[in-house]
Amino acid sequence: MTSLLTGGQLAPARDLADESDSPSAGALDTEAPSTRFPARALASHWPGVGRTRAELLTMVSAPTGLSGFRVQSHHRRGLPLLLDWLEEQPGDSWQERWHLSGADGAGADWAQGPRRWLERIDKYSEDRLALMTSSLLVMIGADVVRPSLGWLLTGGKKRKLTRNIIRARDREGFEQLDQVCAQDPGIPAHAQRHAFFRCAVIIAAKGGGLADITIGDVLEILDAEKGLRRRSDSSTATFKALREMGVFGPDVPTFREIRGAQRHTVEELVDRYSITCRPIRDLLVDYLKERQPAIDYGTLVTGSYVLAKCFWADLEEHHPGIATLHLTSEVASDWKRRLQTKTTTTRTPTGETIDVTAERFSYLDVLSSVRAFYLDLSQWALDDPGRWARWVAPCPIRPQEMNRRKAVRRRKARMDARTRDRLPVLPVLVRAVDQWRREIEATLDAARLVQPGEQFCAGGETLIRSVRPHAAPDNIWVEDLGGKRRLLNREEDNAFWAWASIGVLRLTGVRVEELLELSHYSLVQYRLPTTGELIPLLQIVPSKTDTERLLVVSPELADVLSAVIRRVRDDNETIPLVRARDSHERIWRSESPLLFQRREGAENHAINPAMISSLLDEALSHTGLLDRVHGTALHYTPHDFRRMFLTDAIMNGLPPHIAQVIAGHRDINVTMGYNAVYPEETIRGHLAFLARRRSLRPSEEYRVPTDEEWQEFLGHFERRKVSIGTCARAFDTPCIHEHACVRCPMLWPDPALRPRLVEIAENLTDRVAEAEREGWFGEVEGLQISLAGARNKLVQIDQRSDRTDAVPPSVATHRSTIGDEHAASN
């Protein structure tokens, strides 16, 4: 079934709705984690609960009893008192008496019950109460009493409980867990202690041993910690340790995949907007289910938002009792007028909160989706009248209202203005983020050299390394003289990934999803058969247009990629395999050696688009740049770098049809739309030239190239070498500077030839002075342009040398470095 409206598709999710749904592994996982992985139910009876008083007293009196790790006399004195107190409580078993005494619900204050009992029988003393309460560990270790998770997390001697469970219940299991943690460098000592404690608590509350713990049990205790407002430190490490130990069985997803928000059913997506009219609600559910097989999950989420929230929920809010799709002209006009604007809450510089009404840029997208809804019902009614015919109604949106010409021009103007504002300050951002990365790295190195509590100076400021005995060993906390605390290793990690993201985005012009899909397999190379020179290439996997492309890796880009590879490689010199999430289908992809990954907790995780945006905002905060229109902090999106890359490339002479191939656009008009400053008449002239050339081109050109033509193609790469570097212009494109290479932005200067470039700059300086002295003013301007170009190339070489001291300078060596690392990872 197809829509009558051409292109009547639901608008992309990123343009209309800001949904936070994230899937788990698998496209059909729509249940919550606690439903898919239920915790073990609490047993009502088990062997230990029926032990008699005599059996319990025998355990503490025997030299090999469960309490052998404590002084036997203490338990022999304390356990009888605890049993006397429990025997006075109602209930038929020790477990029932424990719960009916109210001690379990009292949490950390449970000892007040035994205290009052001791006072009543005139035997109270602090020592006697301590012996009595500590004896409860014997009963828990013997599996006689099973307190709740809440009690175990808030009351009792928690660390002693861990030791007791290890001794009494599953010594071999905990020894195996200890070996797994010791072999995994991603699980530090403090995370291992937390894992041991959580496992002991689960065993104490549910029974069994380590092998009996389920995924649901781990999720339950983490939820209990969250409910108690306790930080779930090292929760990932706990799950990872048990998973690697094999407790959960084979093919178990990661903790991040399990805890991620699940995909919702169509009914759940629609019901989140509380539609009053049940028949309309059911219609929207049926319609979206009919569309579901042909669209991705992100578009399905957007469709529910548009039809249920923007359309029908808005009508019910302003027209209570409405129950038909046949809208009057007044109702439809009022709805469209409300849809054109939106109200947002913002904060003024003085701190005052105000509501601001702004234009809704997605207005036409919403109209298009609602119009497609009406026309789909009309079309489907012809095929299945019994199901759809009663809902057919005149469409409230006329075709002339869908004219996008004005909206497209306004969007083009907004994007061009945005690009023109950001392109001139891009060098400022690049320098600022590189300086931020260097300074925070130096500060972190200085902090590691001092002991906690000591003062040190770094980055022009005086800091004190914080004393945090319970913090993770890898975390370096510092305080400034004003008492503000900073986590340096997190700041350094953010600075590096902000620098790497900006570097790759601005040097390649890739989309953000293409950036995050770069893997070690994306780095390929081509060796020229005649000279043996290696051409480094970056393979961009199919994304928006489902076509892959290859980009030549410049030396500066090679620096960034080499730094990323060095950072993410593990101790075995390989790139860890991680899963990334499909942002459209909201499912987890298979494992891959992604370059953009970072450690979070005990595991490496793929960086997501939201993290890239956050890193860009943090990087811009270090520049102090302001938006000249609104006066607020300047904001970059990842797609801004794509527009700036194409604009800058075309400004510097790159033919638009070559830019189209580099950007991966199917239509050159899309590429021209990205260009913010290219003259309109030049665009028209170039398009006319392409049309004439295509009409005159003989059909025999569309054939397999001959050996001579292939050799000519290879010869282009062989002729790229010039006296001071490598020419990067595309194949079959003319030299735009008539071989005045020192002026050309497409020249990649070779750092090894810096002395020659210095000689050229000095010679040009002498020639400028001679021309001015002799009055040859016709040559002065040209010589000054060449001198500026030579100095610019020297600056490029110096910047590259500062960035990567350990990376060899030449393109071939850069490629070799990446190739060697690639081979090592495989």
Side-chain angles (χ1 to χ4, degrees):
M1 297 184 182
T2 58
S3 172
L4 287 174
L5 179 62
T6 301
Q9 300 295 324
L10 297 176
R14 61 181 179 272
D15 292 336
L16 295 175
D18 183 17
E19 302 293 345
S20 59
D21 306 287
S22 58
S24 64
L28 299 178
D29 294 336
T30 59
E31 298 177 323
S34 58
T35 305
R36 291 191 296 127
F37 303 102
R40 287 181 292 167
L42 297 175
S44 59
H45 183 77
W46 59 92
V49 76
R51 288 182 176 177
T52 64
R53 178 188 180 99
E55 292 174 335
L56 294 177
L57 293 176
T58 301
M59 285 192 305
V60 297
S61 61
T64 58
L66 292 173
S67 58
F69 66 98
R70 288 187 54 85
V71 180
Q72 294 292 323
S73 62
H74 288 182
H75 282 172
R76 284 196 295 270
R77 294 166 54 194
L79 185 59
L81 292 173
L82 182 64
L83 296 178
D84 291 342
W85 170 67
L86 286 175
E87 286 177 339
E88 290 191 11
Q89 311 303 322
D92 298 329
S93 66
W94 298 113
Q95 179 72 7
E96 290 182 3
R97 294 164 185 158
W98 164 258
H99 279 286
L100 293 176
S101 69
D104 195 273
D109 297 328
W110 78 276
Q112 297 302 318
R115 176 193 291 270
R116 289 190 294 270
W117 179 79
L118 289 173
E119 291 175 346
R120 181 168 57 83
I121 65 175
D122 199 22
K123 290 185 178 181
Y124 172 74
S125 70
E126 290 291 340
D127 292 339
R128 186 175 284 113
L129 177 63
L131 294 174
M132 179 180 176
T133 55
S134 65
S135 297
L136 180 63
L137 296 178
V138 178
M139 301 186 70
I140 296 175
D143 202 18
V144 177
V145 173
R146 293 181 179 178
S148 64
L149 287 177
W151 185 89
L152 291 167
L153 292 173
T154 57
K157 299 175 175 60
K158 304 179 184 62
R159 300 306 171 189
K160 296 179 181 179
L161 168 69
T162 303
R163 294 196 298 267
N164 197 42
I165 291 296
I166 293 174
R167 289 174 177 269
R169 307 282 274 283
D170 195 358
R171 180 184 292 273
E172 293 182 359
F174 279 96
E175 288 178 352
Q176 185 180 357
L177 180 62
D178 181 65
Q179 294 176 0
V180 170
C181 295
Q183 295 172 359
D184 191 336
I187 304 179
H190 77 284
Q192 180 179 351
R193 292 194 297 270
H194 292 161
F196 272 50
F197 172 66
R198 291 189 180 109
C199 292
V201 168
I202 293 173
I203 292 174
K206 300 294 182 70
L210 276 176
D212 300 308
I213 295 177
T214 66
I215 295 177
D217 292 339
V218 178
L219 298 179
E220 184 180 33
I221 191 172
L222 295 178
D223 289 338
E225 290 179 351
K226 184 178 180 181
L228 296 171
R229 296 183 178 181
R230 292 181 53 189
R231 292 182 59 188
S232 297
D233 291 334
S234 307
S235 55
T236 304
T238 302
F239 188 91
K240 182 182 180 182
L242 293 174
R243 185 175 62 133
E244 292 182 352
M245 185 177 168
V247 171
F248 302 142
D251 301 326
V252 177
T254 63
F255 181 74
R256 187 184 187 190
E257 296 172 34
I258 292 176
R259 291 294 264 179
Q262 309 305 306
R263 289 159 53 107
H264 297 282
T265 63
V266 175
E267 289 85 355
E268 292 172 337
L269 292 175
V270 174
D271 288 342
R272 65 172 65 180
Y273 302 113
S274 304
I275 294 178
T276 303
C277 181
R278 188 71 183 183
I280 295 295
R281 176 264 181 197
D282 294 339
L283 170 65
L284 295 180
V285 170
D286 290 344
Y287 173 78
L288 292 173
K289 283 186 174 180
E290 194 75 13
R291 293 291 314 278
Q292 189 173 7
I295 58 179
D296 57 48
Y297 180 76
T299 305
L300 180 68
V301 172
T302 302
S304 65
Y305 171 77
V306 169
L307 298 178
K309 175 67 166 62
C310 297
F311 177 55
W312 194 256
D314 182 85
L315 290 176
E316 286 189 339
E317 179 182 356
H318 294 87
H319 305 279
I322 188 171
T324 177
L325 293 177
H326 197 302
L327 307 181
T328 64
S329 58
E330 293 80 7
V331 172
S333 298
D334 291 343
W335 168 69
K336 286 181 279 191
R337 185 173 59 254
R338 292 191 301 269
L339 186 65
Q340 287 179 325
T341 60
K342 61 179 179 180
T343 302
T344 58
T345 302
T346 186
R347 188 179 298 275
T348 63
T350 60
E352 181 184 0
T353 301
I354 59 174
D355 292 335
V356 178
T357 301
E359 177 186 4
R360 188 189 298 272
F361 292 138
S362 60
Y363 169 69
L364 289 178
D365 293 326
V366 176
L367 291 186
S368 176
S369 296
V370 175
R371 178 173 169 81
F373 169 62
Y374 272 87
L375 298 184
D376 280 341
L377 293 180
S378 301
Q379 174 69 17
W380 297 351
L382 298 176
D383 301 329
D384 191 357
R387 182 180 179 187
W388 305 106
R390 67 191 184 101
W391 298 110
V392 175
C395 181
I397 303 167
R398 296 183 294 274
Q400 55 269 29
E401 295 180 87
M402 298 303 302
N403 190 341
R404 293 176 176 265
R405 184 176 303 172
K406 181 178 179 181
V408 169
R409 288 199 302 266
R410 294 178 62 186
R411 183 178 61 186
K412 167 67 173 169
R414 289 197 308 271
M415 293 298 101
D416 286 355
R418 184 181 182 91
T419 302
R420 285 192 292 268
D421 285 344
R422 284 156 179 76
L423 183 57
V425 298
L426 180 59
V428 178
L429 173 61
V430 173
R431 289 194 299 270
V433 72
D434 186 54
Q435 182 180 359
W436 171 38
R437 178 178 67 95
R438 291 173 179 275
E439 289 180 352
I440 192 63
E441 184 178 351
T443 303
L444 179 60
D445 292 340
R448 286 177 173 148
L449 298 176
V450 302
Q451 297 298 320
E454 293 184 5
Q455 184 173 295
F456 65 98
C457 295
E461 57 182 345
T462 301
L463 301 172
I464 302 173
R465 182 165 177 180
S466 302
V467 179
R468 297 174 68 90
H470 300 295
D474 294 337
N475 289 344
I476 307 297
W477 288 89
V478 298
E479 301 176 12
D480 57 21
L481 298 181
K484 181 180 179 181
R485 285 185 176 179
R486 297 164 54 190
L487 182 55
L488 289 184
N489 49 298
R490 180 183 299 168
E491 291 185 17
E492 190 274 337
D493 198 48
N494 289 348
F496 175 83
W497 287 114
W499 170 80
S501 302
I502 292 173
V504 177
L505 288 172
R506 73 180 181 87
L507 294 171
T508 61
V510 296
R511 303 176 181 92
V512 65
E513 58 267 24
E514 295 171 342
L515 169 76
L516 299 179
E517 290 176 4
L518 292 178
S519 72
H520 219 173
Y521 303 134
S522 302
L523 302 170
V524 297
Q525 56 188 6
Y526 177 75
R527 185 183 298 275
L528 294 177
T530 55
T531 64
E533 180 185 359
L534 290 176
I535 307 299
L537 300 173
L538 185 65
Q539 183 182 27
I540 307 300
V541 297
S543 60
K544 188 175 182 180
T545 58
D546 292 330
T547 55
E548 68 176 7
R549 60 191 191 276
L550 293 172
L551 304 180
V552 177
V553 177
S554 66
E556 190 174 2
L557 178 59
D559 293 345
V560 178
L561 295 177
S562 297
V564 170
I565 291 174
R566 289 196 300 271
R567 188 175 188 89
V568 299
R569 280 188 303 196
D570 57 21
D571 296 337
N572 297 323
E573 297 298 320
T574 60
I575 304 295
L577 300 178
V578 296
R579 292 181 184 270
R581 190 186 67 174
D582 189 318
S583 59
H584 298 292
E585 288 292 355
R586 313 286 175 86
I587 59 176
W588 293 93
R589 301 189 182 98
S590 58
E591 292 182 332
S592 177
L594 298 179
L595 296 184
F596 280 77
Q597 58 175 285
R598 64 190 297 183
R599 178 167 292 276
E600 297 178 11
E603 297 179 329
N604 281 26
H605 298 295
I607 296 176
N608 55 43
M611 175 60 67
I612 296 294
S613 299
S614 177
L615 293 174
L616 290 179
D617 290 340
E618 189 172 358
L620 283 162
S621 67
H622 289 78
T623 65
L625 296 173
L626 299 178
D627 190 310
R628 64 184 181 87
V629 177
H630 303 95
T632 57
L634 192 62
H635 176 68
Y636 277 74
T637 67
H639 214 67
D640 285 331
F641 292 93
R642 183 171 173 82
R643 295 181 181 276
M644 290 186 293
F645 173 83
L646 292 175
T647 299
D648 185 62
I650 295 176
M651 283 176 58
N652 286 282
L654 186 68
H657 62 286
I658 301 297
Q660 173 193 353
V661 176
I662 294 176
H665 290 148
R666 291 178 179 174
D667 189 352
I668 195 172
N669 293 309
V670 177
T671 307
M672 296 304 187
Y674 276 61
N675 180 30
V677 295
Y678 205 60
E680 184 177 355
E681 61 275 8
T682 307
I683 296 176
R684 290 198 300 265
H686 183 76
L687 293 178
F689 163 73
L690 291 178
R692 290 195 304 271
R693 188 176 70 173
R694 289 169 181 167
S695 64
L696 298 175
R697 178 175 293 167
S699 59
E700 58 267 18
E701 290 191 8
Y702 299 95
R703 55 177 169 74
V704 177
T706 64
D707 292 340
E708 292 77 11
E709 291 169 335
W710 182 246
Q711 292 301 324
E712 180 184 357
F713 173 76
L714 295 179
H716 161 77
F717 293 97
E718 297 172 1
R719 293 189 297 270
R720 296 193 314 159
K721 289 292 185 180
V722 294
S723 62
I724 53 176
T726 303
C727 179
R729 71 176 187 272
F731 171 70
D732 202 24
T733 57
C735 178
I736 60 176
H737 289 100
E738 298 181 355
H739 302 285
C741 298
V742 75
R743 302 183 181 185
C744 184
M746 302 302 292
L747 172 69
W748 293 343
D750 188 345
L753 298 175
R754 191 182 189 281
R756 178 178 177 84
L757 195 55
V758 172
E759 291 179 3
I760 293 175
E762 293 175 350
N763 180 265
L764 287 171
T765 302
D766 295 338
R767 291 181 60 188
V768 170
E770 180 186 9
E772 292 176 344
R773 185 175 62 251
E774 298 295 337
W776 302 334
F777 299 111
E779 293 188 11
V780 171
E781 182 178 359
L783 291 172
Q784 287 177 339
I785 294 175
S786 298
L787 179 59
R791 290 173 175 171
N792 183 50
K793 301 305 178 188
L794 288 171
V795 171
Q796 292 181 22
I797 291 176
D798 294 339
Q799 289 178 345
R800 284 178 50 206
S801 300
D802 292 340
R803 280 194 306 270
T804 53
D805 297 334
V807 179
S810 67
V811 177
T813 309
H814 274 302
R815 183 59 259 163
S816 300
T817 302
I818 298 178
D820 293 343
E821 293 166 346
H822 177 50
S825 71
N826 294 331

